[in-house]
Amino acid sequence: MTKLRISLINIHGLLKGSGLEIGRDADNGGQTKYVYELAEFLSQHKDVEQVHIFTRLIDDPNLSPEYAVPIEVINEKLDIRRIPFLGKKYKPKEQLWEGLDTFVSGIVQHVKLHDIFPNWIHSHYGDAGYAASELSTILNIPFAHTGHSLGFYKKKKLLESGLNEEEIEKKFKFRQRIAAEERTLALSEFIVTSTEQEIETYRPYKNFELAKYHVISPGIDTTKFVPYYHQEQDADKQMEEEQRKYWVAETISKFLINPHKPFILALSRPDRHKNLHTLIEVYGKDKELQSIANLVIFAGIRKDISKMPESEKDVLTDLLLLMDKYDLYGKMAIPKKHDVENEVSIIYRYAAEKRGVFVNLALHENFGLTVIESASSGLPVVVTKNGGPSEIIPTCQNGELVDPKDENQIKKALRNILTDDNQWRYYSNNGAINIQKHYSWLSHVNQYVAYVNENLSLSSGSGIKNLHYPNINLDRLKRKVEHLFVSDIDGTLIAPDLDNPGLKELKEHLINRHEKMSFALASGRNLALVKKVIEEEQFPLPDFIICAVGTEIYYTNGKDYILDKGWATFLAGRWKREDIVTRLKGIPWIRLQEEEAQNPYKISYYYEKEKYNHEQLISALGTGWYKVNIIPSHDEFLDFIPKRASKGNAIKFLCRKWAIPLSSVIAAGDSGNDIDMFRGSVKGIIVGNRSAELAGYETTKNIYVAKSAASSGILEGLKHYKIIK
């Protein structure tokens, strides 16, 4: 078995080997910790040769200089590789979308330069999903994805809070984010989720059915999160631990009149969704609870609240105002900072020693990492029933689930644990034992590597190093290409029902085009039908032809049409043509089209429109259906093609292969299946006779909506982009 070289992509967080700055801001929470620990434990797995974390290079005087080191070695099998884009200063994730194509190009160059081609990629969050989709297309390397949070829900939540769509789009770039998440669902080999419930959070996405999902619970470092009664054997480590515990105790006790009482502990980012204010309300209204226990809240890291981002400033201000409202001075601690890397485990153990309880009242928690960390330390929990904890608590029996909005239920659960010593011990012992059993990183990476190996055994994944370069004399491609013009044919280049407006003038421009301009046709037609149009309309020969719904690429050299075998290799991964044909034989309302309509990566049928049943097709294809794109068209034709095949992916493949910058591509189309070509920095032209699904498009920086139809609209667009005068 080939050992794995895995590239993890985590773009927007602060990652370094000397300690993570968890809680510094909204972009440095659980995801950053998860990715770093996943990388560490993967690098210890026997089947893994090397792990690379790819992230953004940041050279900002306000931050550690470590973030500006291009390659940071963590151990002999793990390093962090930082790719510069969009300047040097640290930026929030919402501001990084426009630079992702530069990031992708930087990774490709870096991988080639250092000869570290991975055989597996794993992306984290929507921005990395976009990057991994691009890299998978360019390098022919399969990838998995972990969402961490989804744009659909964040947008929905913000709209419900009263903000208008234009306002949130400007700040959060939801259009790009959700489009990237849709594409990631379509192109990834599988999606990693923490719980079965989390799979359902993807259901609102159009491509939900195209993805495969694997539930792999996040792990914790069970050597770090140990029960409160664990004794460190190494004398030096024991001394270090005692020192840390002393400083944690000092940090908390300086707020409290009676620091020896048990305490109710909460630890999260200052995020409204984390619902910390409800915990203070419950505690503040109950004098008996105040007499039993202190309240300790670690809400991120802060220096000066007035200089913090607006959302965090609002949450922290509210917490302090509630503390004042209920006069909780001396009973409530809200420390300004803690050492995330070294002190969190100590905080949990210290709380457990005090016979306390950990509380997480998030309105919804995808998984609940803090729930298993605290439980592993022997600290009982009171936790939201919404999301992942509803699967953790029944498995581990380490605490109580509550409705995060029901103050009485929360109060009752807290009193039950804090006042009943037998109950406290039961939850404490169960947590310490069962978390080690079910939620260790060792268990996580073993499952993960098994899924990766299973996937690779079914995939071709040949990689860019093995791309076939056709042995042909393409003079135009030997020169530096300044512009690549790609056009759809039917409805775009030609529109016979409209008498082909502008076609004669466009042909003249293409015949007399500058030697640094290349020309390509991209069509759903097969090669024979594309050639027929070229001959009938007396078109100049294109340099490239993308045809058969994006499943074939051809080159022309004056007389011959040469198939690109590299593209064929790329599409071959997990494509089982004969198996698909066999499985579809039992469907009575479809029949195979003629032989000339078929090719190795396209199976074409006629179908009866009244009887069309998408679920029946999926059922017939079985477990491999998610690797197939099912494309009905014109209420008559039905194509089955590899998921990787599309006109847009073919353009990107050509550009990487022949070193043509995507920003040099101008693509023209008229219908919904052309949208795929207008991605990244490609300049799009939508002709005036566009179909209904493009009716809502307006001219932007990278898309020009023409007033004129067909070739006339293309000429209009080429003039707009100053390609012709």
Side-chain angles (χ1 to χ4, degrees):
M1 185 192 293
T2 307
K3 285 213 168 190
L4 297 172
R5 184 182 287 272
I6 300 172
S7 288
L8 302 179
I9 304 176
N10 189 77
I11 301 171
H12 60 256
L14 297 174
L15 279 159
K16 60 185 173 72
S18 63
L20 304 176
E21 299 187 65
I22 308 297
R24 184 186 180 98
D25 60 23
D27 291 347
N28 290 284
Q31 175 187 328
T32 310
K33 188 169 187 287
Y34 176 98
V35 173
Y36 188 83
E37 291 191 349
L38 172 63
E40 271 194 311
F41 281 88
L42 277 174
S43 73
Q44 295 165 23
H45 196 282
K46 62 179 174 55
D47 291 349
V48 174
E49 178 189 335
Q50 197 73 38
V51 180
H52 308 294
I53 302 176
F54 281 95
T55 190
R56 179 171 175 252
L57 188 142
I58 301 157
D59 191 357
D60 190 325
N62 297 317
L63 294 168
S64 164
E66 291 167 274
Y67 299 121
V69 176
I71 301 173
E72 180 187 352
V73 176
I74 307 299
N75 65 45
E76 60 180 15
K77 287 168 65 179
L78 170 63
D79 54 45
I80 299 173
R81 292 174 180 257
R82 300 184 176 93
I83 307 297
F85 73 100
L86 285 185
K88 295 180 176 181
K89 290 223 166 158
Y90 178 62
K91 293 176 189 280
K93 58 182 178 288
E94 291 81 12
Q95 292 176 23
L96 298 179
W97 286 97
E98 64 187 270
L100 293 183
D101 287 317
T102 311
F103 178 69
V104 168
S105 298
I107 291 183
V108 172
Q109 288 165 12
H110 185 95
V111 161
K112 288 181 182 176
L113 178 67
H114 296 276
D115 194 22
I116 52 164
F117 287 83
N119 46 14
W120 188 261
I121 296 169
H122 191 137
S123 52
H124 296 268
Y125 189 77
D127 50 13
Y130 175 86
S133 302
E134 296 297 297
L135 289 165
S136 179
T137 303
I138 296 159
L139 301 175
N140 189 14
I141 293 164
F143 77 102
H145 178 73
T146 305
H148 294 282
S149 76
L150 297 178
F152 177 87
Y153 288 98
K154 180 154 188 176
K155 180 178 179 180
K156 187 168 177 248
K157 199 166 71 175
L158 290 171
L159 287 173
E160 285 168 357
S161 75
L163 295 171
N164 69 58
E165 185 141 5
E166 192 180 330
E167 191 181 345
I168 62 173
E169 180 57 40
K170 190 176 176 185
K171 182 175 180 184
F172 294 105
K173 312 288 191 295
F174 282 120
R175 200 171 292 126
Q176 280 171 285
R177 179 174 169 182
I178 291 169
E181 289 165 342
E182 290 281 14
R183 190 156 176 259
T184 303
L185 289 172
L187 293 178
S188 62
E189 300 298 309
F190 58 82
I191 302 290
V192 175
T193 69
S194 301
T195 62
E196 293 289 343
Q197 278 190 32
E198 194 186 331
I199 296 173
E200 291 303 305
T201 64
Y202 286 92
R203 195 168 284 281
Y205 287 81
K206 291 175 194 164
N207 289 337
F208 171 76
E209 298 285 355
L210 290 179
K212 187 172 186 177
Y213 303 87
H214 285 315
V215 178
I216 317 176
S217 301
I220 58 166
D221 184 346
T222 50
T223 62
K224 182 190 286 186
F225 293 96
V226 293
Y228 65 95
Y229 43 77
H230 171 80
Q231 286 295 315
E232 184 60 63
Q233 298 304 309
D234 183 287
D236 290 342
K237 283 187 179 174
Q238 189 175 357
M239 176 62 74
E240 196 178 310
E241 183 129 328
E242 289 298 327
Q243 286 176 338
R244 287 206 176 110
K245 193 192 289 182
Y246 173 80
W247 289 116
V248 164
E250 281 288 295
T251 301
I252 294 170
S253 61
K254 69 181 180 185
F255 288 88
L256 306 171
I257 293 167
N258 185 355
H260 303 295
K261 284 199 292 192
F263 61 84
I264 299 162
L265 172 68
L267 196 151
S268 76
R269 286 185 291 109
D271 182 329
R272 183 75 56 196
H273 181 76
K274 296 296 182 183
N275 199 27
L276 293 168
H277 57 280
T278 296
L279 176 59
I280 302 178
E281 292 275 5
V282 169
Y283 183 76
K285 291 173 185 175
D286 190 338
K287 296 292 182 189
E288 190 178 337
L289 205 50
Q290 291 171 36
S291 69
I292 297 167
N294 292 313
L295 178 61
V296 178
I297 296 178
F298 285 88
I301 296 167
R302 66 187 192 275
K303 285 183 182 174
D304 181 346
I305 292 177
S306 67
K307 292 178 181 172
M308 293 182 79
E310 207 62 38
S311 59
E312 295 179 16
K313 186 201 301 184
D314 289 349
V315 170
L316 285 163
T317 304
D318 283 356
L319 300 186
L320 294 171
L321 288 173
L322 282 169
M323 181 179 177
D324 188 73
K325 175 183 175 181
Y326 293 110
D327 194 16
L328 298 176
Y329 300 99
K331 300 172 186 175
M332 176 177 163
I334 183 162
K336 293 182 78 162
K337 62 176 184 175
H338 58 287
D339 177 347
V340 175
E341 187 67 22
N342 299 306
E343 287 183 358
V344 171
S345 58
I346 306 279
I347 292 167
Y348 291 135
R349 288 206 291 282
Y350 182 62
E353 280 180 15
K354 296 277 185 199
R355 290 294 190 271
V357 60
F358 177 74
V359 184
N360 176 338
L361 299 180
L363 299 177
H364 185 275
E365 190 69 77
N366 266 356
F367 178 67
L369 203 55
T370 54
V371 177
I372 58 174
E373 287 175 349
S374 54
S376 186
S377 311
L379 183 61
V381 302
V382 170
V383 59
T384 179
K385 66 176 186 175
N386 299 333
S390 67
E391 292 179 32
I392 296 170
I393 301 300
T395 303
C396 296
Q397 295 292 308
N398 61 307
E400 301 191 13
L401 292 167
V402 293
D403 178 342
K405 292 182 177 176
D406 187 329
E407 292 186 12
N408 279 330
Q409 212 178 96
I410 297 162
K411 179 173 69 175
K412 189 178 171 187
L414 286 169
R415 283 191 183 188
N416 182 34
I417 296 171
L418 289 165
T419 59
D420 184 337
D421 199 46
N422 288 334
Q423 187 70 73
W424 190 95
R425 284 173 186 274
Y426 176 76
Y427 288 148
S428 173
N429 291 341
N430 284 345
I433 293 164
N434 291 329
I435 298 297
Q436 301 267 338
K437 194 188 299 180
H438 297 288
Y439 295 102
S440 73
W441 268 119
L442 190 62
S443 163
H444 181 101
V445 298
N446 284 340
Q447 285 184 72
Y448 178 77
V449 169
Y451 284 131
V452 172
N453 282 329
E454 175 197 358
N455 195 282
L456 288 174
S457 70
L458 300 168
S459 238
S460 68
S462 58
I464 201 167
K465 288 190 286 190
N466 300 318
L467 290 179
H468 299 267
Y469 282 79
N471 184 24
I472 55 176
N473 178 21
L474 281 175
D475 288 337
R476 287 189 186 279
L477 293 175
K478 287 182 177 177
R479 300 185 180 97
K480 185 182 177 187
V481 175
E482 287 183 358
H483 299 292
L484 168 60
F485 168 59
V486 186
S487 180
D488 172 52
I489 297 177
D490 298 293
T492 305
L493 206 59
I494 59 170
D497 53 327
L498 301 172
D499 295 328
N500 293 327
L503 184 58
K504 186 179 174 189
E505 188 187 342
L506 180 61
K507 273 196 287 192
E508 283 175 20
H509 276 290
L510 292 174
I511 290 164
N512 301 313
R513 70 187 184 273
H514 193 277
E515 62 179 18
K516 290 187 178 179
M517 179 173 173
S518 282
F519 165 47
L521 291 173
S523 174
R525 294 174 175 232
N526 63 24
L527 181 65
L529 292 174
V530 173
K531 283 162 75 174
K532 190 178 175 191
V533 169
I534 292 170
E535 286 159 16
E536 285 177 356
E537 300 294 342
Q538 296 184 307
F539 271 113
L541 275 182
D543 298 308
F544 311 109
I545 293 172
I546 298 164
C547 59
V549 204
T551 59
E552 293 179 335
I553 296 174
Y554 288 89
Y555 302 96
T556 59
N557 65 353
K559 52 185 172 69
D560 298 319
Y561 292 83
I562 296 101
L563 181 69
D564 187 315
K565 292 179 183 173
W567 181 241
T569 302
F570 174 68
L571 296 182
R574 301 190 89 179
W575 173 250
K576 298 178 179 176
R577 194 183 198 288
E578 296 312 315
D579 180 57
I580 293 168
V581 172
T582 303
R583 286 172 176 276
L584 293 171
K585 275 182 178 165
I587 308 246
W589 45 270
I590 63 173
R591 65 184 173 87
L592 276 167
Q593 291 181 34
E594 296 72 22
E595 191 57 39
E596 57 267 27
Q598 313 294 341
N599 77 36
Y601 302 106
K602 181 170 76 76
I603 312 166
S604 296
Y605 292 83
Y606 297 108
Y607 77 97
E608 298 172 48
K609 148 173 114 165
E610 306 78 23
K611 296 181 180 174
Y612 183 81
N613 184 330
H614 193 70
E615 293 304 315
Q616 192 179 355
L617 296 175
I618 287 173
S619 177
L621 290 172
T623 54
W625 69 267
Y626 70 96
K627 285 291 159 197
V628 179
N629 271 346
I630 303 168
I631 305 171
S633 58
H634 302 287
D635 293 333
E636 182 183 3
F637 307 115
L638 186 62
D639 293 317
F640 294 81
I641 63 174
K643 189 167 68 172
R644 291 172 164 184
S646 75
K647 291 194 277 191
N649 279 350
I651 289 171
K652 298 220 162 168
F653 179 89
L654 283 170
C655 285
R656 301 300 179 186
K657 189 163 185 174
W658 298 101
I660 303 168
L662 275 179
S663 56
S664 300
V665 178
I666 305 97
D670 71 299
S671 67
N673 63 12
D674 297 321
I675 295 169
D676 180 58
M677 297 195 290
F678 311 147
R679 289 204 316 258
S681 49
V682 170
K683 296 175 179 70
I685 300 171
I686 297 175
V687 292
N689 55 313
R690 62 192 186 275
S691 61
E693 60 261 34
L694 298 186
Y697 275 75
E698 294 177 1
T699 295
T700 62
K701 182 184 170 188
N702 272 17
I703 291 183
Y704 177 75
V705 179
K707 294 180 177 64
S708 314
S711 285
S712 226
I714 293 174
L715 288 165
E716 207 182 298
L718 291 173
K719 285 171 187 170
H720 170 80
Y721 290 123
K722 298 183 171 53
I723 307 302
I724 60 174
K725 291 180 181 175

